[in-house]
Amino acid sequence: MEGSNLRRFGMAARILDGTRIAADIRTELVARVEACTLAARRPPTLGILLVGDDAASEVYVNTKSKAGDALGLKVDVVRLPKTATLDKAKEVVCRFNRSQDHDGILVQAPLPSALGTAAESTLFEAIDPTKDVDGFHPTNFGRLAQGRSVFAPCTPSGILELLDRSCINLKGQRAVVIGRSQIVGKPVALMLLHRHATVTVCHSKTRDLSALAREADVLIAALGRPAFVTSEFVKPGATVIDVGVNRLVDEAIVKSLLPPSSPRLQTFARRGSLLVGDVHPAVRETAGALTPVPGGVGPLTVAMLMVNTVRASEMHLGKAV
């Protein structure tokens, strides 16, 4: 039955295709981008601050830039060396704030440790809330808690889009979130509550974690530990959303996770590394629906960044939607 979280006996989980859904979202944005560009006489513009030389951050920023370019947005990336001071980074954010040509602002995390433990919160709070397309400013997080957000964090927003467009019912369902980060765990728990799910948030200090997780109709894994969530954590037929992105380079570990026939072993042999999620591949035999890694939540995070940037442009033009 469409919309049911139950799966038929003996069948592997339905794979929830984030890449396809992200493409649908981008297609739906095309007319809005064209309208904003015509009205503003420039494309919607996203300013990104990247500090340091973290390889993963470079990949993420390049992915966001390419996605924006393909959609007709302008992405302005300002790079600072890892030796930059927090004051210098804040200057860039303030310049984006003052600019009439930048609709959205994003500070790429993580920041270099030399900037201090409070650097992320300092820079997030420095962003004009009307340009905070990542949804991390306290004002926007507070609005999210009240159920009236303008900009919600992109990964949780992508998860909700994925569930909606995959006809996964949330009303009255038991949802368990493993992870309590400001970026994913806490905001997605709030968003699920607003959709009438009964939500439990678990973390590293939670007792009997697997037993709690096994009660979930919808299980969201966002803890950053490769293949941590095994079949023991999953109720048969549950929907499992894997937020983790972990790069493995140890051949023995990779082989322990995948059957000998898996084509992903060939990918590892060719590249010398493999992206895996927080959910063990064997969960596919227990879950009713499951997001892959890669190709699940990741593309939706980028798509929702594009949505928020276009929304910011529309707001600045006086026609918020």
Side-chain angles (χ1 to χ4, degrees):
M1 180 172 62
E2 188 177 39
S4 173
N5 292 336
L6 298 177
R7 75 178 172 92
R8 288 169 286 177
F9 178 77
M11 294 185 68
R14 173 165 65 111
I15 299 301
L16 304 179
D17 189 348
T19 301
R20 177 187 60 78
I21 294 173
D24 291 344
I25 291 171
R26 291 193 301 271
T27 298
E28 293 163 8
L29 281 177
V30 169
R32 291 169 62 185
V33 172
E34 291 175 349
C36 288
T37 302
L38 182 63
R41 297 183 181 180
R42 63 165 178 79
T45 301
L46 171 64
I48 298 179
L49 171 60
L50 175 61
V51 186
D53 53 8
D54 181 79
S57 291
E58 282 283 358
V59 170
Y60 294 146
V61 167
N62 287 337
T63 298
K64 293 166 185 176
S65 295
K66 289 178 181 178
D69 291 344
L71 193 57
L73 276 61
K74 179 180 177 181
V75 181
D76 179 13
V77 181
V78 174
R79 289 177 166 82
L80 295 179
K82 63 181 179 181
T83 55
T85 64
L86 183 57
D87 285 342
K88 183 63 176 178
K90 192 172 180 179
E91 283 179 14
V92 175
V93 172
C94 292
R95 176 163 62 81
F96 284 153
N97 283 341
R98 294 190 300 268
S99 171
Q100 298 298 310
D101 294 326
H102 290 82
D103 301 294
I105 303 171
L106 182 154
V107 175
Q108 181 63 46
L111 295 166
S113 58
L115 290 182
T117 56
E120 285 186 13
S121 60
T122 297
L123 293 181
F124 292 159
E125 289 181 26
I127 297 172
D128 179 344
T130 69
K131 296 187 177 187
D132 173 35
V133 291
D134 251 344
F136 296 155
H137 191 282
T139 295
N140 287 324
F141 203 93
R143 291 177 67 91
L144 175 64
Q146 293 177 337
R148 55 192 190 99
S149 64
V150 176
F151 298 118
C154 298
T155 297
S157 297
I159 291 170
L160 268 291
E161 286 286 339
L162 177 72
L163 293 169
D164 285 347
R165 294 174 186 245
S166 301
C167 300
I168 303 297
N169 179 42
L170 291 174
K171 188 174 183 179
Q173 299 296 296
R174 180 70 181 270
V176 172
V177 180
I178 305 178
R180 52 177 168 175
S181 73
Q182 302 284 358
I183 295 173
V184 181
K186 290 179 182 177
V188 81
L190 289 169
M191 295 171 81
L192 290 166
L193 277 172
H194 296 324
R195 299 295 296 277
H196 308 295
T198 299
V199 183
T200 300
V201 178
C202 300
H203 46 79
S204 59
K205 302 295 188 291
T206 300
R207 294 195 299 268
D208 299 324
L209 177 56
S210 61
L212 275 174
R214 204 161 50 243
E215 296 177 4
D217 302 300
V218 178
L219 177 63
I220 298 177
L223 65 160
R225 294 179 60 180
F228 178 83
V229 175
T230 63
S231 297
E232 179 188 6
F233 287 68
V234 180
K235 179 170 73 174
T239 295
V240 180
I241 306 297
D242 190 351
V243 184
V245 180
N246 310 284
R247 187 176 297 276
L248 298 181
V249 295
D250 188 312
E251 183 178 7
I253 294 176
V254 171
K255 287 184 174 180
S256 73
L257 297 178
L258 300 170
S261 60
S262 174
R264 301 202 71 202
L265 290 175
Q266 297 176 11
T267 301
F268 175 80
R270 185 172 65 254
R271 297 179 179 173
S273 65
L274 193 71
L275 289 180
V276 301
D278 292 345
V279 176
H280 196 288
V283 165
R284 185 175 180 179
E285 301 305 316
T286 304
L290 175 67
T291 57
V293 176
V297 173
L300 285 159
T301 297
V302 178
M304 296 313 295
L305 174 62
M306 302 297 107
V307 170
N308 280 353
T309 302
V310 173
R311 181 176 293 128
S313 177
E314 291 171 337
M315 288 172 59
H316 297 150
L317 286 166
K319 55 172 190 175
V321 295

